[in-house]
Amino acid sequence: MNEVTTFSATVSATARNGILVVAIDNPPVNATSADVRLGLSRALAHAEAAIGIKGVVITGAGKTFIGGADIREFGKPAIEPTLPDVIEKIEALSKPVIAALNGAALGGGLELALACHYRIASPATQVGLPEVKLGIVPGAGGTQRLPRLIGVPAAIELIASGRIAKAKEALSLGIVDELAEGDLIATTIKSAQKLTDTPPRRTGELAVAPAGPAEIEKASSKILAKARGQKAPAEAVRLVASSHRPLAEGLADERATFLALRDSREAAALRHIFFAEREASKVAGLENVEPHPVTTLGICGLGLMGSGIAVAALAAGYTVIGLDQTQQAAEKGYERIVGLLERNLASGRLDQSGFDAQKSILVVTTTDADLAPCDLVIEAVFDDLTVKIDLFRRLDKVIRPDTILATNTSYLNPDEIAAATAHPERVLGLHFFSPAHVMRLLEVVRCKETAPDVLATGLTVAKKLKKLPVVTGVTEGFIGNRIFSAYRREAEFLLEDGALPHEIDAALEDYGFPMGLFAVYDMAGLEIAWARRKRQAATRDPSQRYVEIADRLCEAGRLGQKSGRGWYAYPDGKRTIDPEVTAIIEAEREKKHITPRSFSREEIGQRMLQAMATEGEALLAEGIAARPGDIDLVMVNGYGFPAHKGGPMFARS
Ligand code: T1G
């Protein structure tokens, strides 16, 4: 058995046939913490000095090579050696250093691998420099070494987008030199031994072919357009595009840019979102609760939402039994689901075997009893209380007592639905966002009676569906729609007080929303909200300010883009300010004797943000939302709130 040398709490090594195999073991993702950097530094010094050592292999323990620099260290005083120090030692070593990528090599992890003299990857490896998703640029050589290996255009595309590349693409791009189908370490040791007779190939010494403006534009324009309002992607493009400079100059510029961005509000906001996503599924009291095993999902209602849920479920490997009311509806649902699978096949998201496998685990029926094998049934039928209660009562007769019933309702009270079933404790809400096979956000509604194991199962299924689960209590509209209603109300108050729809929309787009509220409203259609307002009219609190402008628009048949007119006019489909709407707004102001005033974009933005945050505070006080980060996740992932602003609760803090 080879003797293990310990260099730090997280870094140890064994010498095997003259090769020092250094392993980083820093759960959960082998982040390059101070202890990791210290251990690597010591291991490199040892390898340099040891006569019997001819080469070095660096690898990670577990399923990750290195998940990146330790984000939790950001904002704390730097501890020597820094990651660039360690990376410089790797590249300068007189003996070959080979990276054995046993899993994800991201951020600083890939930067460390790029400084190695050779890179071998297991098939499961993923590589990427996702720093821009944290509002920063790579800070340990990524913008300078990656283009030296794969060229400026390809490096710009990967770094400015922050996307992840799988092993095969990494090989074809030239990021890794070899894929190891069998034993990664044994293969790497063999390669290391072959490399001991040749001078190390130092990435930093490779030349970079400067890319012309047209190439840079082609590689970056779409990405920068999408990253509107964010600084990091543009800085990443600048650094990669100028990587033909001497390495030391480029590294200095990169490090200074990284440090400046790391301490920015934008980066703090994106780190907040990163950690909030991981906190959201940690629900107090569920730590030791076992979720139910779930393999078969029933989906009732195979319309737009139900078929989207079915596609997400099939992609996660669940067997799906779809139920609809009539043979025709069931067949239409089946065709809609298969059509979406075919789109995935055509786009390359699915290969033929994947398509066939997913299609083979899908059945549809009109017979309730066919849902008997289901472990969990999700209803996505017409959003009417009687319809849903009737369905759950029918299902009570055919499913097992432990089968979970989930309602996808957006606005109805799931407690009322649960109360009508035989086992309310096994009912919860799973509020998907449309299109359900695309949108990550999933509000997991904890009803009054929902049992802990049922909630734990809902969270586990949500994660398996690759959703971002956020637990909410029962309130009208749960977290997202309650906040949406609050800032829609604020926007309508602003209309009465003197602003116009396009001014409010411009303020929201200025802030970073992809679309203004009234433009979104017109796209979604005004009639559903109108119907809800009419239902609520009898019980509306007369002391509460109520704006009738939207009612006037609906009464005039202005139901949104589909009807050709809404908050805007749509001559030849183009959204246009409509003087008729302005006149309707002015008439409503006169009725209430309001003297209109103008509002700056900044003021509009602040009032809208304040309305969201105030409603968020109420949700926390009522125990509907467990933490501010949950609210931020819902607004960023379901309502277009710009992630680089961190969500309404972060932005107001
Ligand atoms: N630093 C600190 N903690 C991290 C971390 C990191 N880089 N990555 C993950 N964690 C924590 C996470 O908060 C969670 O904690 C646990 O690990 C499991 O994470 C110089 C400066 C690697 C693909 O952006 O993409 O390098 O909740 O649930 O699903 O240029 O984590 O258990 O307490 O996500 O298996 C760049 C971020 C950093 C990659 C694993 N790297 N991480 O996914 O686990 S900046 C990234 C991920 C940088 C350099 C710059 C994923 C993963 P807890 P998880 P997973």
Side-chain angles (χ1 to χ4, degrees):
M1 180 67 183
N2 297 307
E3 193 191 325
V4 177
T5 309
T6 302
F7 292 102
S8 72
T10 54
V11 176
S12 60
T14 51
R16 292 167 55 174
N17 309 332
I19 303 298
L20 187 69
V21 181
V22 180
I24 301 166
D25 190 0
N26 182 26
V29 297
N30 292 336
T32 55
S33 64
D35 187 78
V36 167
R37 300 193 303 269
L38 178 65
L40 286 173
S41 202
R42 289 173 174 164
L44 291 162
H46 169 76
E48 188 68 281
I51 295 162
I53 295 296
K54 303 281 179 252
V56 179
V57 169
I58 298 176
T59 192
K63 66 180 173 66
T64 308
F65 173 65
I66 298 174
D70 192 332
I71 312 173
R72 294 177 197 279
E73 287 184 357
F74 287 11
K76 295 177 187 156
I79 300 171
E80 303 290 328
T82 65
L83 187 56
D85 296 338
V86 173
I87 283 177
E88 204 177 310
K89 284 194 178 74
I90 289 172
E91 188 159 70
L93 208 74
S94 66
K95 301 169 185 176
V97 183
I98 294 89
L101 307 183
N102 59 298
L106 302 175
L110 180 57
E111 290 174 296
L112 183 146
L114 294 175
C116 292
H117 307 125
Y118 196 78
R119 283 156 294 280
I120 298 183
S122 67
T125 295
Q126 297 187 334
V127 299
L129 292 171
E131 284 84 343
V132 292
K133 295 188 175 175
L134 295 170
I136 53 181
V137 294
T143 65
Q144 305 304 304
R145 288 193 176 88
L146 189 61
R148 281 172 166 74
L149 285 173
I150 69 173
V152 167
I156 282 180
E157 190 275 326
L158 263 178
I159 298 175
S161 67
R163 75 176 177 86
I164 306 297
K166 292 195 173 129
K168 280 206 180 107
E169 184 186 4
L171 181 69
S172 65
L173 282 172
I175 297 175
V176 299
D177 301 293
E178 197 180 324
L179 290 188
E181 294 302 333
D183 180 327
L184 173 65
I185 300 305
T187 309
T188 311
I189 288 173
K190 271 207 202 87
S191 296
Q193 280 155 346
K194 278 186 230 147
L195 290 168
T196 51
D197 304 335
T198 54
R201 180 191 63 166
R202 294 191 171 86
T203 311
E205 292 171 357
L206 300 176
V208 189
E215 278 185 287
I216 292 166
E217 164 73 12
K218 185 162 171 271
S220 62
S221 56
K222 277 210 199 94
I223 295 167
L224 295 183
K226 226 170 123 199
R228 199 168 42 88
Q230 295 179 55
K231 296 187 193 67
E235 282 300 276
V237 172
R238 179 184 66 79
L239 288 162
V240 176
S242 51
S243 57
H244 53 281
R245 292 181 291 180
L247 181 67
E249 198 182 312
L251 288 177
D253 187 357
E254 176 194 76
R255 191 73 187 163
T257 308
F258 158 71
L259 291 172
L261 287 171
R262 185 194 63 182
D263 300 338
S264 69
R265 181 84 176 145
E266 174 176 314
L270 288 165
R271 281 197 297 276
H272 162 69
I273 292 296
F274 175 86
F275 287 116
E277 285 198 7
R278 287 147 181 87
E279 280 306 300
S281 46
K282 292 176 186 162
V283 178
L286 294 191
E287 293 78 10
N288 306 313
V289 173
E290 263 309 296
H292 299 194
V294 175
T295 53
T296 305
L297 288 188
I299 296 173
C300 303
L302 300 176
L304 185 68
M305 189 58 94
S307 48
I309 298 169
V311 168
L314 292 167
Y318 288 116
T319 296
V320 171
I321 305 174
L323 174 79
D324 219 316
Q325 296 177 66
T326 65
Q327 192 56 29
Q328 189 198 8
E331 281 166 10
K332 198 152 173 289
Y334 182 84
E335 281 153 27
R336 189 181 286 117
I337 295 163
V338 173
L340 289 170
L341 296 184
E342 281 160 351
R343 271 179 32 197
N344 285 345
L345 179 63
S347 68
R349 270 199 294 273
L350 258 186
D351 59 18
Q352 189 60 51
S353 62
F355 171 83
D356 297 341
Q358 290 187 21
K359 201 176 161 200
S360 72
I361 52 176
L362 167 67
V363 291
V364 296
T365 178
T366 58
T367 309
D368 294 354
D370 290 345
L371 292 182
C374 294
D375 305 303
L376 183 147
V377 180
I378 302 168
E379 66 78 16
V381 297
F382 181 61
D383 216 23
D384 172 279
L385 192 60
T386 313
V387 171
K388 292 184 189 289
I389 286 178
D390 170 58
L391 171 67
F392 273 17
R393 281 185 171 147
R394 284 168 25 213
L395 294 177
D396 268 344
K397 297 191 186 87
V398 296
I399 57 176
R400 302 190 313 264
D402 67 317
T403 296
I404 291 170
L405 289 173
T407 171
N408 172 59
T409 186
S410 300
Y411 277 98
L412 300 176
N413 182 337
D415 284 338
E416 288 181 39
I417 299 171
T421 66
H423 303 277
E425 72 285 355
R426 69 175 176 188
V427 177
L428 81 169
L430 290 179
H431 179 225
F432 290 82
F433 285 73
S434 188
H437 59 296
V438 174
M439 294 290 279
R440 284 183 66 214
L441 181 63
L442 176 55
E443 285 182 310
V444 179
V445 187
R446 178 178 217 162
C447 304
K448 200 165 50 209
E449 304 291 334
T450 301
D453 57 309
V454 170
L455 183 63
T457 308
L459 286 164
T460 305
V461 168
K463 279 197 257 183
K464 191 167 175 195
L465 290 171
K466 294 206 180 337
K467 296 298 176 185
L468 173 59
V470 175
V471 176
T472 171
V474 173
T475 184
E476 171 149 7
F478 311 129
I479 294 173
N481 283 333
R482 223 179 92 175
I483 292 199
F484 179 76
S485 300
Y487 80 85
R488 177 184 48 71
R489 257 195 321 275
E490 190 62 28
E492 292 181 0
F493 292 163
L494 280 161
L495 289 181
E496 266 194 347
D497 294 345
L500 288 173
H502 66 278
E503 293 170 338
I504 294 170
D505 282 357
L508 288 168
E509 286 174 25
D510 245 15
Y511 186 75
F513 283 81
M515 262 177 97
L517 172 71
F518 293 103
V520 169
Y521 227 139
D522 272 355
M523 260 177 63
L526 281 63
E527 62 275 31
I528 294 177
W530 186 30
R532 193 166 48 255
R533 290 199 302 273
K534 286 192 280 188
R535 270 202 312 274
Q536 293 165 342
T539 54
R540 187 171 296 126
D541 176 353
S543 66
Q544 292 292 317
R545 181 178 180 183
Y546 179 74
V547 177
E548 298 184 20
I549 296 168
D551 298 339
R552 294 297 88 76
L553 293 184
C554 295
E555 288 153 10
R558 303 184 69 103
L559 298 174
Q561 203 162 342
K562 277 193 296 265
S563 65
R565 301 178 309 149
W567 291 98
Y568 295 94
Y570 294 87
D572 55 34
K574 190 173 172 310
R575 190 181 315 125
T576 314
I577 297 169
D578 187 342
E580 264 186 49
V581 172
T582 308
I584 289 171
I585 293 169
E586 285 166 348
E588 288 303 308
R589 291 172 186 159
E590 276 157 39
K591 254 197 233 169
K592 294 197 175 175
H593 311 299
I594 292 171
T595 310
R597 75 175 185 83
S598 61
F599 292 89
S600 69
R601 284 191 183 182
E602 174 67 19
E603 196 178 359
I604 292 172
Q606 287 312 310
R607 269 190 54 174
M608 298 293 276
L609 192 56
Q610 188 53 55
M612 293 182 217
T614 304
E615 197 65 24
E617 290 301 339
L619 288 167
L620 290 168
E622 295 165 32
I624 300 295
R627 48 180 89 83
D630 287 2
I631 295 169
D632 290 333
L633 288 178
V634 169
M635 298 317 290
V636 164
N637 290 282
Y639 296 80
F641 197 102
H644 64 278
K645 298 280 187 181
M649 308 313 281
F650 179 87
R652 291 307 296 168
S653 58

